[in-house]
Amino acid sequence: MTMTDQATTAPTTRSAGVAGRIEAALRPLIAGPLPVRLRAWDGSEAGPADGTLVELRTPQALTRLLWHPGELGAAQAYVTGELEVEGDIGDALDLVRETVAARNIPPLTASRVGRLLPDLVRLARDTGALARPPAPPATQAVIKGRLHSLARDRASISHHYDLSNDFYQFLLDPHMAYSSAYFVDGPDMPLEAAQAAKLDLVCRKVGLTEGTRFLDIGCGWGSLSLYAAEHFGAQVTGVTIAAEQKAFIDNRIRERGLEDRVQIQLRDYRQIDSGPYDAVASLEMGEHVGEKNYATYASVLHRSVKPGGYVLVQQMSRRGVHPGGGPFIEQFIAPDMTMRPVGETLNYLQDAGFEVRGVHALREHYVWTVDAWHRTLEENWDRAVELIGEEGARVWRLYLVGGSQAFRDNRMGVDQLLLRRPGGPAVVSDPAR
Protein backbone atom coordinates (compact mmCIF):
# COMPACT_ATOMS: atom_id res chain seq x y z
CA MET A 1 0.00 0.00 0.00
CA THR A 2 1.38 3.40 -0.94
CA MET A 3 1.55 6.45 1.32
CA THR A 4 -1.32 7.91 -0.69
CA ASP A 5 -3.46 4.80 -0.16
CA GLN A 6 -2.79 4.96 3.57
CA ALA A 7 -3.64 8.65 3.71
CA THR A 8 -6.92 8.31 1.89
CA THR A 9 -8.16 5.19 3.73
CA ALA A 10 -7.25 6.16 7.30
CA PRO A 11 -10.03 7.32 9.61
CA THR A 12 -10.80 10.99 9.18
CA THR A 13 -10.95 13.61 11.89
CA ARG A 14 -14.02 15.67 12.68
CA SER A 15 -14.61 17.96 9.73
CA ALA A 16 -16.68 20.79 11.20
CA GLY A 17 -15.51 24.38 11.22
CA VAL A 18 -13.09 26.08 8.87
CA ALA A 19 -11.08 22.93 8.12
CA GLY A 20 -14.19 21.07 6.99
CA ARG A 21 -15.22 23.94 4.73
CA ILE A 22 -11.75 24.02 3.16
CA GLU A 23 -11.72 20.27 2.58
CA ALA A 24 -15.12 20.40 0.89
CA ALA A 25 -13.94 23.22 -1.38
CA LEU A 26 -10.73 21.38 -2.31
CA ARG A 27 -12.25 18.00 -3.16
CA PRO A 28 -13.12 18.89 -6.78
CA LEU A 29 -9.61 20.30 -7.33
CA ILE A 30 -7.69 17.34 -5.84
CA ALA A 31 -10.05 14.60 -7.05
CA GLY A 32 -10.82 13.22 -3.62
CA PRO A 33 -10.27 13.70 0.10
CA LEU A 34 -7.32 15.50 1.62
CA PRO A 35 -4.13 13.39 1.75
CA VAL A 36 -3.01 15.28 4.89
CA ARG A 37 -4.56 16.24 8.18
CA LEU A 38 -5.56 19.89 8.04
CA ARG A 39 -5.90 22.04 11.13
CA ALA A 40 -7.36 25.54 10.76
CA TRP A 41 -6.92 28.58 12.99
CA ASP A 42 -10.24 27.90 14.74
CA GLY A 43 -8.94 24.53 15.97
CA SER A 44 -11.08 22.47 13.59
CA GLU A 45 -9.51 19.56 11.70
CA ALA A 46 -10.22 17.55 8.57
CA GLY A 47 -8.50 14.75 6.70
CA PRO A 48 -6.91 11.47 7.86
CA ALA A 49 -6.48 11.39 11.64
CA ASP A 50 -2.99 9.88 11.39
CA GLY A 51 -1.91 11.93 8.37
CA THR A 52 0.84 14.53 8.14
CA LEU A 53 -0.42 17.64 9.92
CA VAL A 54 -0.63 20.88 7.93
CA GLU A 55 -1.76 23.85 9.98
CA LEU A 56 -3.24 27.08 8.65
CA ARG A 57 -2.50 29.40 11.55
CA THR A 58 -4.28 32.55 10.33
CA PRO A 59 -6.99 33.50 7.83
CA GLN A 60 -4.26 35.25 5.84
CA ALA A 61 -2.78 31.85 5.00
CA LEU A 62 -6.01 30.97 3.22
CA THR A 63 -6.12 34.42 1.61
CA ARG A 64 -2.69 33.79 0.07
CA LEU A 65 -3.74 30.35 -1.18
CA LEU A 66 -6.89 31.77 -2.77
CA TRP A 67 -5.04 34.59 -4.55
CA HIS A 68 -2.14 32.33 -5.60
CA PRO A 69 -3.45 28.74 -5.74
CA GLY A 70 -0.75 26.09 -5.78
CA GLU A 71 2.97 26.37 -5.15
CA LEU A 72 3.40 30.13 -4.83
CA GLY A 73 0.61 30.74 -2.34
CA ALA A 74 1.67 27.75 -0.24
CA ALA A 75 5.29 28.93 -0.26
CA GLN A 76 4.31 32.46 0.76
CA ALA A 77 2.24 31.14 3.65
CA TYR A 78 4.99 28.73 4.73
CA VAL A 79 7.90 31.18 4.77
CA THR A 80 5.87 33.74 6.76
CA GLY A 81 4.88 31.08 9.30
CA GLU A 82 1.19 31.40 8.49
CA LEU A 83 1.27 27.77 7.35
CA GLU A 84 3.17 25.11 9.31
CA VAL A 85 3.99 21.48 8.55
CA GLU A 86 4.48 19.09 11.43
CA GLY A 87 7.46 16.81 10.96
CA ASP A 88 9.65 16.46 7.88
CA ILE A 89 8.60 18.92 5.19
CA GLY A 90 10.27 16.70 2.59
CA ASP A 91 7.90 13.85 3.48
CA ALA A 92 4.96 16.22 3.09
CA LEU A 93 6.14 17.35 -0.35
CA ASP A 94 6.61 13.73 -1.42
CA LEU A 95 3.09 12.91 -0.26
CA VAL A 96 1.65 15.74 -2.32
CA ARG A 97 3.48 14.57 -5.46
CA GLU A 98 2.41 10.97 -4.89
CA THR A 99 -1.20 12.06 -4.50
CA VAL A 100 -1.10 14.13 -7.67
CA ALA A 101 0.37 11.19 -9.60
CA ALA A 102 -1.94 8.54 -8.11
CA ARG A 103 -5.09 10.58 -8.80
CA ASN A 104 -3.84 11.94 -12.13
CA ILE A 105 -4.66 15.47 -10.99
CA PRO A 106 -4.23 17.97 -13.85
CA PRO A 107 -2.30 21.22 -13.39
CA LEU A 108 -4.03 23.88 -11.32
CA THR A 109 -4.91 26.26 -14.14
CA ALA A 110 -6.85 29.50 -13.93
CA SER A 111 -9.77 27.91 -15.77
CA ARG A 112 -10.00 25.03 -13.27
CA VAL A 113 -9.98 27.43 -10.34
CA GLY A 114 -12.38 29.78 -12.14
CA ARG A 115 -15.07 27.12 -12.36
CA LEU A 116 -15.08 26.95 -8.56
CA LEU A 117 -14.77 30.69 -8.03
CA PRO A 118 -18.24 31.27 -6.52
CA ASP A 119 -17.66 28.51 -3.96
CA LEU A 120 -14.18 29.80 -3.14
CA VAL A 121 -15.42 33.37 -2.69
CA ARG A 122 -18.15 32.10 -0.39
CA LEU A 123 -15.56 30.10 1.58
CA ALA A 124 -13.32 33.15 1.94
CA ARG A 125 -16.20 35.36 3.05
CA ASP A 126 -17.50 32.89 5.62
CA THR A 127 -14.06 32.19 7.12
CA GLY A 128 -12.78 35.75 7.29
CA ALA A 129 -10.23 35.22 4.51
CA LEU A 130 -11.90 37.45 1.91
CA ALA A 131 -9.42 40.31 1.50
CA ARG A 132 -7.12 42.04 -0.93
CA PRO A 133 -3.92 40.16 -1.80
CA PRO A 134 -1.57 40.29 1.21
CA ALA A 135 1.76 42.02 0.71
CA PRO A 136 4.42 39.61 -0.59
CA PRO A 137 6.80 38.25 2.05
CA ALA A 138 9.88 40.39 2.59
CA THR A 139 12.05 37.59 1.16
CA GLN A 140 10.20 37.51 -2.15
CA ALA A 141 12.11 39.17 -4.99
CA VAL A 142 10.88 42.41 -6.52
CA ILE A 143 12.84 42.77 -9.77
CA LYS A 144 12.07 45.51 -12.28
CA GLY A 145 13.34 46.55 -15.67
CA ARG A 146 13.80 44.93 -19.06
CA LEU A 147 14.41 41.19 -18.86
CA HIS A 148 18.16 40.44 -18.74
CA SER A 149 19.22 44.04 -19.08
CA LEU A 150 22.50 44.74 -17.29
CA ALA A 151 20.72 46.50 -14.43
CA ARG A 152 18.04 43.83 -14.00
CA ASP A 153 20.58 41.00 -14.06
CA ARG A 154 22.60 42.78 -11.37
CA ALA A 155 19.45 43.12 -9.25
CA SER A 156 18.47 39.47 -9.77
CA ILE A 157 21.92 38.21 -8.80
CA SER A 158 22.13 40.58 -5.84
CA HIS A 159 18.80 39.32 -4.46
CA HIS A 160 20.28 35.88 -3.83
CA TYR A 161 24.05 36.17 -3.79
CA ASP A 162 24.37 39.38 -1.79
CA LEU A 163 22.10 38.00 0.94
CA SER A 164 24.90 37.74 3.54
CA ASN A 165 28.50 36.64 3.21
CA ASP A 166 28.33 35.53 6.84
CA PHE A 167 25.36 33.26 6.03
CA TYR A 168 27.07 31.66 3.05
CA GLN A 169 30.21 31.12 5.13
CA PHE A 170 28.01 29.42 7.71
CA LEU A 171 26.24 27.22 5.14
CA LEU A 172 28.95 26.29 2.63
CA ASP A 173 32.25 24.44 2.97
CA PRO A 174 35.49 26.35 3.69
CA HIS A 175 36.15 26.69 -0.06
CA MET A 176 32.87 28.63 -0.32
CA ALA A 177 31.85 26.56 -3.34
CA TYR A 178 28.18 27.14 -4.19
CA SER A 179 27.81 24.51 -6.89
CA SER A 180 27.63 20.73 -7.04
CA ALA A 181 30.55 18.94 -5.41
CA TYR A 182 32.14 15.76 -6.79
CA PHE A 183 31.84 12.89 -4.30
CA VAL A 184 34.48 10.76 -5.98
CA ASP A 185 34.66 8.48 -2.92
CA GLY A 186 30.89 8.20 -2.49
CA PRO A 187 28.17 10.01 -0.53
CA ASP A 188 29.92 9.66 2.85
CA MET A 189 32.83 11.80 1.66
CA PRO A 190 33.13 15.07 3.66
CA LEU A 191 31.70 18.02 1.73
CA GLU A 192 34.96 20.02 1.89
CA ALA A 193 36.87 17.13 0.30
CA ALA A 194 34.16 16.62 -2.33
CA GLN A 195 34.26 20.30 -3.28
CA ALA A 196 38.06 20.16 -3.53
CA ALA A 197 37.71 17.10 -5.78
CA LYS A 198 35.34 19.09 -8.04
CA LEU A 199 37.66 22.08 -8.20
CA ASP A 200 40.64 19.84 -8.94
CA LEU A 201 38.69 18.03 -11.67
CA VAL A 202 37.75 21.30 -13.37
CA CYS A 203 41.35 22.56 -13.31
CA ARG A 204 42.65 19.31 -14.79
CA LYS A 205 39.94 19.14 -17.46
CA VAL A 206 40.84 22.56 -18.85
CA GLY A 207 44.57 21.84 -18.63
CA LEU A 208 45.78 24.34 -16.04
CA THR A 209 49.52 24.49 -15.36
CA GLU A 210 51.94 27.03 -13.91
CA GLY A 211 51.32 30.42 -15.52
CA THR A 212 48.18 29.42 -17.46
CA ARG A 213 45.94 32.45 -18.09
CA PHE A 214 42.59 31.31 -16.74
CA LEU A 215 39.19 33.06 -16.81
CA ASP A 216 36.54 32.15 -14.22
CA ILE A 217 33.16 33.54 -15.38
CA GLY A 218 30.66 33.88 -12.54
CA CYS A 219 33.34 33.23 -9.93
CA GLY A 220 31.05 33.24 -6.88
CA TRP A 221 33.02 33.54 -3.64
CA GLY A 222 36.24 32.59 -5.40
CA SER A 223 36.45 28.86 -4.73
CA LEU A 224 37.70 27.97 -8.23
CA SER A 225 39.74 31.14 -8.78
CA LEU A 226 41.68 30.68 -5.55
CA TYR A 227 42.09 26.93 -6.01
CA ALA A 228 43.44 27.35 -9.53
CA ALA A 229 46.01 29.88 -8.35
CA GLU A 230 47.07 28.03 -5.20
CA HIS A 231 47.18 24.46 -6.51
CA PHE A 232 47.97 24.90 -10.23
CA GLY A 233 49.86 28.20 -10.32
CA ALA A 234 47.41 29.73 -12.80
CA GLN A 235 47.11 33.45 -13.49
CA VAL A 236 43.40 33.96 -12.79
CA THR A 237 40.83 36.57 -13.72
CA GLY A 238 37.48 36.08 -11.99
CA VAL A 239 34.30 37.87 -13.02
CA THR A 240 31.19 38.51 -10.90
CA ILE A 241 28.37 41.06 -10.80
CA ALA A 242 27.74 40.55 -7.06
CA ALA A 243 29.51 43.28 -5.10
CA GLU A 244 29.47 41.33 -1.83
CA GLN A 245 31.16 38.38 -3.52
CA LYS A 246 33.94 40.55 -4.92
CA ALA A 247 34.55 42.12 -1.50
CA PHE A 248 34.77 38.66 0.06
CA ILE A 249 37.21 37.30 -2.55
CA ASP A 250 39.40 40.40 -2.48
CA ASN A 251 39.80 39.91 1.26
CA ARG A 252 40.78 36.25 0.80
CA ILE A 253 43.26 37.22 -1.92
CA ARG A 254 44.97 39.60 0.50
CA GLU A 255 44.91 37.08 3.34
CA ARG A 256 46.59 34.43 1.16
CA GLY A 257 49.04 36.74 -0.54
CA LEU A 258 47.68 36.02 -4.02
CA GLU A 259 47.53 39.61 -5.32
CA ASP A 260 49.98 38.72 -8.12
CA ARG A 261 47.96 35.69 -9.24
CA VAL A 262 44.23 36.50 -8.88
CA GLN A 263 42.28 39.54 -10.05
CA ILE A 264 38.52 39.84 -9.56
CA GLN A 265 36.51 42.10 -11.84
CA LEU A 266 33.05 43.42 -11.02
CA ARG A 267 31.51 43.22 -14.47
CA ASP A 268 28.90 41.43 -16.52
CA TYR A 269 29.96 38.55 -18.76
CA ARG A 270 28.96 40.68 -21.77
CA GLN A 271 31.61 43.21 -20.78
CA ILE A 272 34.57 40.82 -20.78
CA ASP A 273 37.21 42.22 -23.12
CA SER A 274 40.52 40.91 -21.81
CA GLY A 275 40.92 37.64 -23.74
CA PRO A 276 41.67 35.35 -25.25
CA TYR A 277 42.70 33.20 -22.26
CA ASP A 278 44.41 29.83 -22.28
CA ALA A 279 41.41 28.24 -20.52
CA VAL A 280 37.96 29.25 -19.28
CA ALA A 281 35.45 27.82 -16.80
CA SER A 282 31.96 28.88 -15.77
CA LEU A 283 30.32 26.98 -12.91
CA GLU A 284 26.52 27.18 -12.68
CA MET A 285 26.35 30.70 -14.05
CA GLY A 286 24.88 29.97 -17.49
CA GLU A 287 21.47 29.32 -15.91
CA HIS A 288 21.22 33.04 -15.13
CA VAL A 289 21.76 34.49 -18.61
CA GLY A 290 18.31 33.66 -19.99
CA GLU A 291 17.13 31.84 -23.10
CA LYS A 292 17.46 34.80 -25.49
CA ASN A 293 20.94 35.62 -24.24
CA TYR A 294 22.39 32.12 -24.14
CA ALA A 295 23.77 32.39 -27.68
CA THR A 296 25.55 35.58 -26.58
CA TYR A 297 26.93 33.81 -23.50
CA ALA A 298 28.19 30.94 -25.68
CA SER A 299 29.87 33.37 -28.07
CA VAL A 300 31.58 35.14 -25.12
CA LEU A 301 32.93 31.80 -23.95
CA HIS A 302 34.19 31.07 -27.47
CA ARG A 303 35.94 34.39 -28.05
CA SER A 304 37.42 34.37 -24.53
CA VAL A 305 39.52 31.23 -25.09
CA LYS A 306 42.42 30.87 -27.52
CA PRO A 307 42.19 28.45 -30.48
CA GLY A 308 42.86 24.98 -29.15
CA GLY A 309 41.93 26.03 -25.62
CA TYR A 310 39.43 24.30 -23.33
CA VAL A 311 36.29 25.63 -21.71
CA LEU A 312 34.34 23.86 -18.97
CA VAL A 313 30.72 24.77 -18.30
CA GLN A 314 29.03 23.20 -15.27
CA GLN A 315 25.31 23.77 -15.62
CA MET A 316 21.96 22.57 -14.35
CA SER A 317 19.39 21.11 -16.74
CA ARG A 318 15.63 20.78 -16.57
CA ARG A 319 12.74 19.64 -18.71
CA GLY A 320 9.10 20.66 -18.50
CA VAL A 321 7.00 23.79 -18.30
CA HIS A 322 9.01 25.67 -15.66
CA PRO A 323 12.48 26.38 -17.04
CA GLY A 324 13.08 28.72 -14.11
CA GLY A 325 12.46 25.94 -11.59
CA GLY A 326 8.86 26.72 -10.64
CA PRO A 327 7.03 29.62 -8.95
CA PHE A 328 8.85 29.35 -5.61
CA ILE A 329 12.37 29.30 -7.08
CA GLU A 330 11.53 32.01 -9.58
CA GLN A 331 10.04 34.34 -6.96
CA PHE A 332 12.23 33.71 -3.92
CA ILE A 333 15.59 32.33 -5.06
CA ALA A 334 16.70 32.96 -8.63
CA PRO A 335 14.57 35.45 -10.56
CA ASP A 336 14.88 35.17 -14.35
CA MET A 337 16.80 31.88 -14.24
CA THR A 338 16.42 29.59 -17.27
CA MET A 339 17.28 25.90 -17.54
CA ARG A 340 16.76 23.52 -20.45
CA PRO A 341 17.58 19.93 -21.41
CA VAL A 342 21.33 19.41 -21.69
CA GLY A 343 21.08 18.57 -25.39
CA GLU A 344 19.63 21.99 -26.17
CA THR A 345 22.48 23.67 -24.28
CA LEU A 346 25.01 21.66 -26.29
CA ASN A 347 23.35 22.88 -29.49
CA TYR A 348 23.93 26.49 -28.42
CA LEU A 349 27.57 25.78 -27.62
CA GLN A 350 28.19 23.94 -30.88
CA ASP A 351 26.52 26.74 -32.82
CA ALA A 352 29.01 29.14 -31.20
CA GLY A 353 31.83 27.12 -32.75
CA PHE A 354 32.84 24.71 -29.98
CA GLU A 355 33.75 21.08 -30.32
CA VAL A 356 32.13 19.06 -27.52
CA ARG A 357 34.75 16.86 -25.87
CA GLY A 358 32.75 15.46 -22.98
CA VAL A 359 29.52 15.48 -20.97
CA HIS A 360 29.92 14.39 -17.35
CA ALA A 361 26.64 13.96 -15.45
CA LEU A 362 26.76 14.82 -11.73
CA ARG A 363 23.06 14.62 -10.85
CA GLU A 364 23.39 12.34 -7.80
CA HIS A 365 26.34 14.41 -6.58
CA TYR A 366 24.05 17.41 -6.30
CA VAL A 367 21.67 15.43 -4.08
CA TRP A 368 24.56 14.74 -1.70
CA THR A 369 25.78 18.33 -1.90
CA VAL A 370 22.39 19.88 -1.13
CA ASP A 371 21.75 17.36 1.64
CA ALA A 372 25.02 18.42 3.29
CA TRP A 373 23.97 22.08 3.14
CA HIS A 374 20.55 21.17 4.53
CA ARG A 375 22.07 19.26 7.46
CA THR A 376 24.14 22.32 8.33
CA LEU A 377 21.03 24.50 8.23
CA GLU A 378 18.89 22.23 10.43
CA GLU A 379 21.64 21.36 12.92
CA ASN A 380 22.41 25.05 13.41
CA TRP A 381 18.93 26.51 12.97
CA ASP A 382 19.24 29.19 15.62
CA ARG A 383 22.43 30.50 14.01
CA ALA A 384 20.74 30.62 10.60
CA VAL A 385 17.84 32.61 12.07
CA GLU A 386 20.33 34.95 13.73
CA LEU A 387 22.01 35.60 10.37
CA ILE A 388 19.04 35.92 7.99
CA GLY A 389 15.91 35.93 10.15
CA GLU A 390 13.20 33.32 10.68
CA GLU A 391 11.58 34.00 7.31
CA GLY A 392 14.89 33.76 5.48
CA ALA A 393 15.74 30.48 7.19
CA ARG A 394 12.36 29.02 6.24
CA VAL A 395 12.96 30.07 2.63
CA TRP A 396 16.26 28.18 2.65
CA ARG A 397 14.72 25.11 4.27
CA LEU A 398 12.09 24.94 1.53
CA TYR A 399 14.69 25.65 -1.16
CA LEU A 400 17.15 22.97 -0.05
CA VAL A 401 14.53 20.28 0.58
CA GLY A 402 12.85 20.90 -2.77
CA GLY A 403 16.17 21.11 -4.61
CA SER A 404 17.41 17.80 -3.23
CA GLN A 405 14.17 16.11 -4.26
CA ALA A 406 14.32 17.59 -7.77
CA PHE A 407 17.79 16.10 -8.37
CA ARG A 408 16.87 12.85 -6.60
CA ASP A 409 13.84 12.36 -8.84
CA ASN A 410 15.69 13.34 -12.04
CA ARG A 411 13.46 16.38 -12.54
CA MET A 412 16.70 18.34 -12.67
CA GLY A 413 20.25 17.42 -13.59
CA VAL A 414 23.70 18.99 -13.59
CA ASP A 415 26.53 18.31 -16.02
CA GLN A 416 30.11 19.30 -16.71
CA LEU A 417 30.38 20.15 -20.40
CA LEU A 418 33.96 20.08 -21.67
CA LEU A 419 34.41 22.16 -24.82
CA ARG A 420 37.33 22.97 -27.08
CA ARG A 421 37.72 25.87 -29.47
CA PRO A 422 39.01 24.34 -32.74
CA GLY A 423 42.47 25.32 -33.90
CA GLY A 424 45.86 25.30 -32.25
CA PRO A 425 47.93 22.12 -31.81
CA ALA A 426 46.46 18.76 -32.80
CA VAL A 427 44.56 17.05 -29.98
CA VAL A 428 46.18 13.88 -28.65
CA SER A 429 43.98 13.55 -25.56
CA ASP A 430 42.04 15.84 -23.27
CA PRO A 431 44.03 17.34 -20.38
CA ALA A 432 42.40 15.35 -17.56
CA ARG A 433 42.90 11.98 -19.26
Side-chain angles (χ1 to χ4, degrees), residues 51-349:
T52 298
L53 176 63
V54 175
E55 183 178 3
L56 300 182
R57 292 178 164 177
T58 70
Q60 185 159 282
L62 180 56
T63 305
R64 292 191 190 278
L65 290 165
L66 292 172
W67 277 104
H68 299 289
E71 181 179 313
L72 181 57
Q76 289 179 329
Y78 178 77
V79 304
T80 57
E82 298 158 3
L83 181 154
E84 188 58 275
V85 177
E86 183 180 81
D88 190 323
I89 192 170
D91 291 343
L93 293 174
D94 279 337
L95 177 58
V96 169
R97 291 192 193 93
E98 289 179 14
T99 302
V100 169
R103 299 181 187 178
N104 196 27
I105 299 174
L108 197 60
T109 60
S111 61
R112 288 190 68 218
V113 175
R115 287 194 291 271
L116 297 171
L117 190 58
D119 292 337
L120 295 175
V121 169
R122 209 161 25 247
L123 168 66
R125 182 196 62 205
D126 294 347
T127 59
L130 185 62
R132 293 180 181 275
T139 51
Q140 189 169 333
V142 180
I143 307 296
K144 299 178 181 179
R146 182 171 53 83
L147 183 63
H148 292 298
S149 64
L150 295 178
R152 179 168 174 138
D153 276 357
R154 281 195 297 270
S156 296
I157 292 298
S158 179
H159 169 77
H160 188 60
Y161 294 93
D162 285 342
L163 172 66
S164 163
N165 283 342
D166 289 340
F167 173 73
Y168 284 107
Q169 255 187 304
F170 150 80
L171 186 74
L172 305 178
D173 74 296
H175 295 286
M176 290 289 283
Y178 188 37
S179 55
S180 179
Y182 182 44
F183 289 78
V184 63
D185 294 330
D188 294 330
M189 190 177 183
L191 178 61
E192 181 179 359
Q195 289 290 11
K198 183 270 302 294
L199 298 171
D200 189 77
L201 181 65
V202 171
C203 292
R204 288 187 292 108
K205 280 185 175 181
V206 298
L208 297 191
T209 58
E210 184 75 27
T212 300
R213 293 186 69 241
F214 176 52
L215 176 63
D216 181 6
I217 301 179
C219 61
W221 287 272
S223 59
L224 178 58
S225 293
L226 296 171
Y227 194 92
E230 290 181 305
H231 294 271
F232 287 82
Q235 293 291 138
V236 184
T237 299
V239 175
T240 179
I241 59 174
E244 291 297 316
Q245 288 183 336
K246 174 173 165 51
F248 180 90
I249 308 168
D250 285 344
N251 188 54
R252 281 201 162 178
I253 290 170
R254 288 189 294 269
E255 290 175 348
R256 301 180 187 188
L258 293 172
E259 292 94 336
D260 61 334
R261 287 190 179 270
V262 184
Q263 178 193 37
I264 303 301
Q265 300 177 353
L266 189 64
R267 64 174 60 194
D268 188 88
Y269 71 95
R270 288 161 285 193
Q271 299 170 323
I272 294 172
D273 58 4
S274 50
Y277 291 82
D278 299 320
V280 178
S282 187
L283 305 187
E284 297 181 26
M285 181 268 185
E287 300 89 338
H288 296 288
V289 305
E291 191 66 23
K292 291 184 178 180
N293 282 353
Y294 201 86
T296 300
Y297 171 68
S299 70
V300 169
L301 293 172
H302 187 267
R303 74 164 187 256
S304 295
V305 70
K306 70 181 184 181
Y310 285 84
V311 172
L312 186 136
V313 174
Q314 182 168 308
Q315 189 166 309
M316 291 180 283
S317 61
R318 182 180 176 90
R319 303 179 67 87
V321 297
H322 291 295
F328 168 68
I329 294 291
E330 294 162 22
Q331 293 287 322
F332 284 86
I333 303 299
D336 302 338
M337 184 166 69
T338 302
M339 295 171 282
R340 67 188 69 79
V342 65
E344 294 180 15
T345 294
L346 289 173
N347 287 339
Y348 276 114
L349 295 166

Side-chain angles (χ1 to χ4, degrees), residues 170-172 191 371-381:
F170 150 80
L171 186 74
L172 305 178
L191 178 61
D371 286 349
W373 294 336
H374 184 216
R375 283 193 300 273
T376 297
L377 180 75
E378 297 295 349
E379 291 169 5
N380 304 275
W381 182 258

